């Protein structure tokens, strides 16, 4: 598979054993381009990013992950897997808001990087008829909502039900996987995974086939689910379930979190009840509670003006940002920050809103 030089270095950076996504992003932000990271001395690397271990520094300086990139590129080409880096136009825009965003994703099928609405549905593997019945009712309501993608983790139970209903009702669905895309886990969901692709959905993972350890892949997968959605619905989970972790991550990312309450005597509902009790999630009694809270019940796709004239109906902050971009259409982020005088987080969120509306387009790098 032919990849650009920048993509090669991003893959090499993510492939460094022991380097987490936060430190990887700090390194990327500390240099003008990823190739400079591998040309830097240990002293310079330590100066740019504190807390890098000696082992990580040696891997960078010795370029020991380069062979992994070559092997992974061949593996992806052989298995029909697409490589999507942070610089790609196919990189999901919602992940840009994450400080721990992955530098590289691997995908099969269709990923909707700029879809207008995204709902993550997570829950226990030991789901009950109670949770399944609620999801049946929810999807009857979701059918009419335009530009919606349902996201889940392809696990047994609630994830399995959410993906299956998405395929049944022709709603695009994205399976976020913990392992590399040549491994369907659990194996019982192999046919379901194939049906997702056949129904114009997709699979996505940040784990390469060359990953040296499987430890922590599912917590990392959970943060991707939280980062990719606008809202997350927790349907049945115990207090220590992975779904609770995903919901808390979604809170940290500023996403809307909803939970289906249940009987206090049911282990599958204790986690949901606890999220609601601690104000980490809004209570959902009916599908309409979620849909109306997200303002999805209007089913509208407001048409935007073809040119950026003053009739654009956005916030004052959006208009101020657009005014600067109108004067310099290919402006770099750092220059834009200086001119609009916004905090980095505020500007990124505003740019994301404008990109989702189709008003602006992020260029690679």
């Amino acid at each position: 598979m032919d990849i650009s030089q920048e993509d090669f270095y991003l893959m090499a950076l993510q492939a460094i054993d022991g380097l987490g996504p936060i430190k990887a992003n700090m390194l990327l932000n500390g240099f003008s381009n990823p190739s400079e990271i591998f040309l830097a001395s240990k002293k310079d690397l330590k100066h740019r990013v504190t807390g890098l271990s000696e082992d990580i520094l040696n891997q960078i300086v010795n370029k020991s992950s380069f062979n992994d990139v070559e092997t992974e590129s061949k593996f992806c080409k052989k298995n029909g897997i697409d490589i999507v880096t942070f610089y790609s136009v196919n990189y999901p825009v919602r992940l840009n808001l994450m400080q721990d965003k992955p530098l590289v994703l691997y995908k099969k099928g269709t990923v909707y990087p700029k879809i207008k609405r995204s709902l993550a549905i997570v829950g226990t593997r030991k789901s009950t008829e109670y949770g399944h019945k609620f999801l049946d009712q929810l999807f009857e309501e979701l059918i009419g909502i335009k530009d919606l993608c349902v996201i889940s983790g392809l696990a047994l139970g609630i994830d399995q039900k959410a993906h299956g209903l998405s395929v049944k009702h022709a709603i695009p669905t994205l399976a976020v996987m913990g392992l590399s895309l040549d491994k369907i886990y659990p194996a019982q969901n192999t046919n379901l995974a194939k049906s997702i692709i056949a129904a114009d959905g997709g699979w996505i993972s940040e784990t390469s086939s060359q990953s040296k350890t499987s430890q922590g892949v599912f917590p990392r997968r959970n943060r991707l689910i939280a980062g990719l959605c606008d809202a997350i619905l927790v349907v049945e989970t115990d207090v220590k379930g992975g779904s609770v972790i995903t919901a808390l991550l979604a809170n940290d990312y500023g996403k809307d979190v909803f939970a289906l309450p249940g009987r206090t005597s049911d282990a599958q509902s204790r986690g949901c009840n606890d999220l609601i009790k601690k104000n980490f999630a809004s209570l959902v009694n009916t599908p309409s509670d979620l849909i109306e809270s997200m303002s999805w019940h209007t089913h509208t796709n407001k048409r935007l003006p073809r040119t950026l004239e003053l009739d654009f109906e956005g916030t004052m902050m959006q208009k101020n940002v657009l005014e600067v971009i109108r004067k310099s259409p290919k402006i770099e982020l750092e220059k834009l920050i200086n001119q609009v005088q916004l905090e980095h987080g505020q500007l990124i969120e505003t740019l994301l809103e404008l990109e989702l509306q189709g008003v602006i387009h992020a260029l690679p790098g």
Side-chain angles (χ1 to χ4, degrees):
M1 177 177 290
D2 295 327
I3 57 173
S4 70
Q5 188 177 50
E6 284 185 330
D7 288 350
F8 180 95
Y9 287 114
L10 285 177
M11 290 176 69
L13 186 60
Q14 185 162 293
I16 292 173
D17 190 30
L19 181 66
I22 291 180
K23 292 291 186 182
N25 276 280
M26 291 173 66
L27 277 168
L28 192 61
N29 293 331
F31 292 84
S32 60
N33 62 70
S35 63
E36 290 185 0
I37 296 171
F38 291 93
L39 296 174
S41 64
K42 283 187 182 181
K43 182 179 180 180
D44 193 15
L45 290 166
K46 289 179 179 179
H47 176 72
R48 304 287 183 103
V49 178
T50 59
L52 295 175
S53 69
E54 192 67 22
D55 179 51
I56 289 173
L57 291 169
N58 286 333
Q59 289 183 68
I60 296 173
V61 172
N62 296 334
K63 304 174 180 58
S64 57
S65 61
F66 281 21
N67 287 336
D68 287 342
V69 176
E70 296 284 359
T71 303
E72 186 64 20
S73 297
K74 294 176 182 176
F75 169 84
C76 289
K77 184 174 183 179
K78 178 181 178 181
N79 290 277
I81 296 170
D82 296 323
I83 299 170
V84 180
T85 74
F86 174 61
Y87 293 144
S88 171
V89 295
N90 291 320
Y91 189 87
V93 295
R94 288 170 178 83
L95 297 184
N96 287 325
L97 297 177
M98 298 167 54
Q99 289 184 323
D100 56 349
K101 61 182 173 291
L103 305 184
V104 182
L105 293 167
Y106 302 93
K107 81 173 182 74
K108 270 195 172 186
T110 305
V111 174
Y112 298 84
K114 298 178 184 177
I115 194 135
K116 286 188 169 68
R117 302 172 182 91
S118 59
L119 173 64
I121 300 176
V122 297
T124 179
R125 290 168 173 79
K126 299 177 180 179
S127 54
T128 70
E129 184 62 27
Y130 172 66
H132 290 190
K133 185 176 180 180
F134 180 84
L135 286 178
D136 286 332
Q137 295 170 350
L138 173 64
F139 273 82
E140 289 295 332
E141 298 290 329
L142 294 180
I143 294 171
I145 297 175
K146 299 176 182 178
D147 300 316
L148 173 69
C149 179
V150 171
I151 300 165
S152 199
L154 200 68
L156 297 175
I158 293 299
D159 291 20
Q160 185 181 45
K161 180 72 173 179
H163 287 306
L165 286 171
S166 298
V167 171
K168 176 183 176 180
H169 294 295
I171 297 173
T173 186
L174 180 63
V176 184
M177 302 189 186
L179 303 178
S180 59
L181 297 186
D182 62 319
K183 302 179 182 72
I184 303 300
Y185 180 84
Q188 298 98 303
N189 280 342
T190 298
N191 287 336
L192 173 60
K194 292 178 179 178
S195 72
I196 289 172
I197 298 293
D200 203 24
W203 313 341
I204 198 168
S205 176
E206 68 177 306
T207 304
S208 76
S209 67
Q210 301 303 300
S211 180
K212 295 178 177 61
T213 175
S214 60
Q215 186 177 5
V217 293
F218 290 105
R220 289 201 298 272
R221 184 271 308 271
N222 292 343
R223 97 182 190 289
L224 284 187
I225 293 174
L228 285 163
C229 70
D230 297 321
I232 183 169
L233 171 64
V234 186
V235 183
E236 294 193 309
T237 183
D238 208 337
V239 289
K240 292 185 179 180
S243 301
V244 172
I245 296 172
T246 309
L248 296 177
L249 286 168
N251 261 297
D252 291 341
Y253 295 147
K255 307 304 177 80
D256 290 283
V257 181
F258 301 90
L260 176 68
R263 295 183 300 186
T264 56
S265 58
D266 291 345
Q268 288 91 337
S269 291
R270 290 173 189 160
C272 292
N273 293 340
D274 196 51
L275 287 169
I276 295 167
K277 177 183 176 182
K278 294 178 179 177
N279 294 318
F280 288 126
S282 299
L283 183 149
V284 172
N285 279 322
T286 68
S288 297
D289 292 338
L290 185 155
I291 292 169
E292 291 179 7
S293 179
M294 296 301 297
S295 298
W296 289 347
H297 60 287
T298 54
H299 300 220
T300 59
N301 277 327
K302 183 173 64 177
R303 179 169 293 181
L304 293 167
R306 291 187 178 182
T307 56
L308 301 180
E309 302 298 338
L310 294 178
D311 60 349
F312 170 68
E313 296 179 4
T315 65
M316 186 57 67
M317 188 180 299
Q318 289 174 342
K319 289 180 178 179
N320 290 341
V321 172
L322 280 177
E323 186 62 32
V324 175
I325 294 174
R326 186 184 288 112
K327 295 175 181 177
S328 303
K330 291 188 178 181
I331 190 169
E332 295 178 355
L333 182 61
E334 294 304 318
K335 292 180 180 178
L336 186 57
I337 289 175
N338 293 332
Q339 293 192 40
V340 298
Q341 297 182 339
L342 289 176
E343 294 289 334
H344 184 272
Q346 284 182 307
L347 178 59
I348 292 296
E349 186 171 354
T350 300
L351 292 173
L352 174 60
E353 291 166 351
L354 292 172
E355 188 167 4
L356 288 173
Q357 294 179 67
V359 178
I360 63 172
H361 174 64
L363 298 174

